[in-house]
Amino acid sequence: MGAYDEKKETCGTICLKYLLFAFNFLFWLAGGVVMAVGIWTLVEKSDYISLLSSSTYAASAYILILAGVIVMVTGVLGCCATFREQRNLLRVYFVLLLCIFLLEILAGVLAYIYYQQLNEELKQNLKETMVQKYKQENEKQITKAVDKLQQEFKCCGSNSSADWAESKWVTTGQAGTRKVPDSCCKTITENCGERYHPSNIYKEEGGCITKLEKFILDHLRIIGAVGIGIACVQIVGMVFTCCLYRNLKAEPY
């Protein structure tokens, strides 16, 4: 009977080892995805981040990058711990899984909180940022972001093209004869912002604020879904780790 129990335990341990190995391989791949989402958010869309007064959107992306790096390292550690059958390594692996779990839950929560307050922040700050900082000294990043925003989303001004009449760029004479930036034009040519007509510039109501809000909300959904989704998967890994840890005999000291 004792030999049967020992064989049964050995088979159970072997099954757990291979399940945990498969999990770690998928987990390693998931870490790459998490890191890629964070990097893509910061690198590809960094111009738009400069238009936001809050750092929550960027913070969520940084947390995902950090979590992704730790996930990939943890995946390798998990494979080593599994096949070497070392309880100490499994302890370290479990603690890292728990830390990553908390990091990704934090990223998801931050994304959700910012999702709720984004509309109010854009209403309060986007117009002021555009009219006060566009083409001003030491504000090249804002200028680049505004021009990219207006061209990419085919919009003009925060709420409408009329916002530009209040801008420092226009009121101080820096704009010359232009009424709006050239980036408001449907077809950009030099000084095309002089001709303030719907056939020449984007004049639809809602301006850039509604389009930027939709864009960021879509990305917050991705950040939140990735963070919380991977965190839920990690629960499975933690369960496998605990089961394998209990099945392994304590290491002699």
Side-chain angles (χ1 to χ4, degrees), residues 121-167:
E121 179 187 322
L122 288 177
K123 282 180 181 178
Q124 291 177 359
N125 299 297
L126 184 60
K127 180 179 177 180
E128 183 179 355
T129 298
M130 292 175 78
V131 301
Q132 295 296 324
K133 297 182 178 181
Y134 184 78
K135 291 286 188 181
Q136 300 306 300
E137 191 175 355
N138 300 321
E139 298 293 353
K140 289 183 179 179
Q141 182 68 24
I142 296 292
T143 300
K144 179 184 175 184
V146 170
D147 284 335
K148 182 178 178 181
L149 175 68
Q150 295 188 142
Q151 273 297 296
E152 192 167 303
F153 293 126
K154 303 184 187 308
C155 57
C156 186
S158 176
N159 300 299
S160 72
S161 55
D163 292 341
W164 286 109
E166 305 171 32
S167 73

Side-chain angles (χ1 to χ4, degrees), residues 67-124:
V69 171
I70 300 175
V71 162
M72 297 185 79
V73 173
T74 302
V76 175
L77 176 64
C79 290
C80 294
T82 301
F83 280 98
R84 294 184 68 180
E85 297 186 5
Q86 292 187 356
R87 299 182 93 203
N88 286 339
L89 275 178
L90 283 173
R91 287 191 202 107
V92 173
Y93 174 65
F94 182 85
V95 169
L96 285 173
L97 277 182
L98 185 59
C99 289
I100 298 164
F101 176 82
L102 295 174
L103 273 175
E104 290 177 334
I105 288 293
L106 177 60
V109 169
L110 282 176
Y112 177 77
I113 291 171
Y114 194 55
Y115 185 94
Q116 302 299 313
Q117 66 186 39
L118 177 64
N119 180 268
E120 193 60 33
E121 179 187 322
L122 288 177
K123 282 180 181 178
Q124 291 177 359

Side-chain angles (χ1 to χ4, degrees), residues 13 49 55 62 124 160 241 253:
T13 301
I49 291 173
S55 59
Y62 279 119
Q124 291 177 359
S160 72
T241 304
Y253 292 95

